[in-house]
Amino acid sequence: MSEQTTTADTVPTAIAVTIAGSDSGGGAGIQADLKTFSALGVYGASVITALTAQNTLGVTGIHDVPPGFIAAQLDAVFSDLKVDAVKIGMLSRPEVIETVAEGLDRHRLGTVVLDPVMVAASGDRLLVPEAIDSLRRQLLPRALLITPNLPEAAALLDEAPAAGLADARRQAEKLRALGARAVLIKGGHGEGPDSVDVLLDDAGFLELSAPRLATRNTHGTGCTLSSAIAAGLARGLALRPAVEAAKAYLTRAIGAADQLEIGHGHGPVHHFHAWWGKGGH
């Protein structure tokens, strides 16, 4: 990476990069990640791995970016910007996963948050089944943190989804044994009045709970949480404080989601709830 110059009139800028797919509807993927970075005071750059024809109702098409061009984007960004953290999202095919893994090694990137995106909020599949093993073998060992939801954790382990916190803890231990330095299993797909995420890191387990909010506007929640964690890491937070701050940010963004009127299906969370007034004005 090249060094960035600073003068008396500048301050060091926290930079995070998202490596993910584009959501043409703006609610998830690259768009949600960049909105989250901006809302949390971090400069965001991107490496686009796929284009999706998508809106709040579903995904109608996926166009994969050729691996060679993904590598070109990686090299362009990381050879110039002093990157503090990386968030990885949608990687649809084994050859794309291999390209990203090679890029992480080539540029010696260690502060990596991996969100193993497999299915959109609409239920549309974003990862071909044969890519799950590639994700497991090539990217889990390169991640500081992985952030699967309950179905994604189960798919990575070829098991049924966790039925409760004891199951989630057990699966977190098994995922960490595959190489990730820390695991956050998200509880949004669970039952009960609270959404409980289970974090396992070097210090052991930590449960993060928030009230389960009644809204259909949850498009991009997983992308937003993982990119908020990456933003916290980019700003110098340790892992646990970054996860706690990201959970709080996402909870507020979900709580404000109904202030927006976006589309006819699962609308996005409100990334800029702290700045936009009620009704989005």
Side-chain angles (χ1 to χ4, degrees), residues 60 74 76 78 85 113 125-126 135 178 200:
T60 57
L74 280 162
F78 293 113
V113 178
R125 179 169 287 279
L126 300 175
L135 194 69
L178 293 176
L200 175 60

Side-chain angles (χ1 to χ4, degrees), residues 4 12-20 29-48 73 76-78 80-87 227-228 230-232 234-235 272:
Q4 291 171 268
T13 303
I15 299 174
V17 173
T18 168
I19 304 173
I30 289 279
Q31 288 82 352
D33 297 340
L34 293 176
K35 290 173 186 177
T36 301
F37 293 160
S38 295
L40 296 177
V42 172
Y43 180 86
S46 63
V47 172
I48 298 177
Q73 293 177 79
V77 171
F78 293 113
D80 181 37
L81 306 186
K82 186 178 182 300
V83 176
D84 299 294
V86 176
K87 175 266 170 84
S227 54
R235 294 176 63 188
F272 297 112

Side-chain angles (χ1 to χ4, degrees), residues 130 153 254:
E130 57 268 29
I254 295 173

Side-chain angles (χ1 to χ4, degrees), residues 176-234:
R176 195 162 184 250
L178 293 176
R181 282 171 279 169
V183 177
L184 179 70
I185 297 184
K186 300 172 293 192
H189 287 74
E191 303 292 337
D194 295 322
S195 175
V196 183
D197 301 341
V198 174
L199 174 67
L200 175 60
D201 61 7
D202 288 338
F205 284 104
L206 176 67
E207 294 176 5
L208 300 100
S209 180
R212 195 178 299 279
L213 301 174
T215 177
R216 71 173 185 171
N217 295 324
T218 56
H219 186 48
T221 51
C223 303
T224 298
L225 180 65
S226 55
S227 54
I229 295 170
L233 295 170

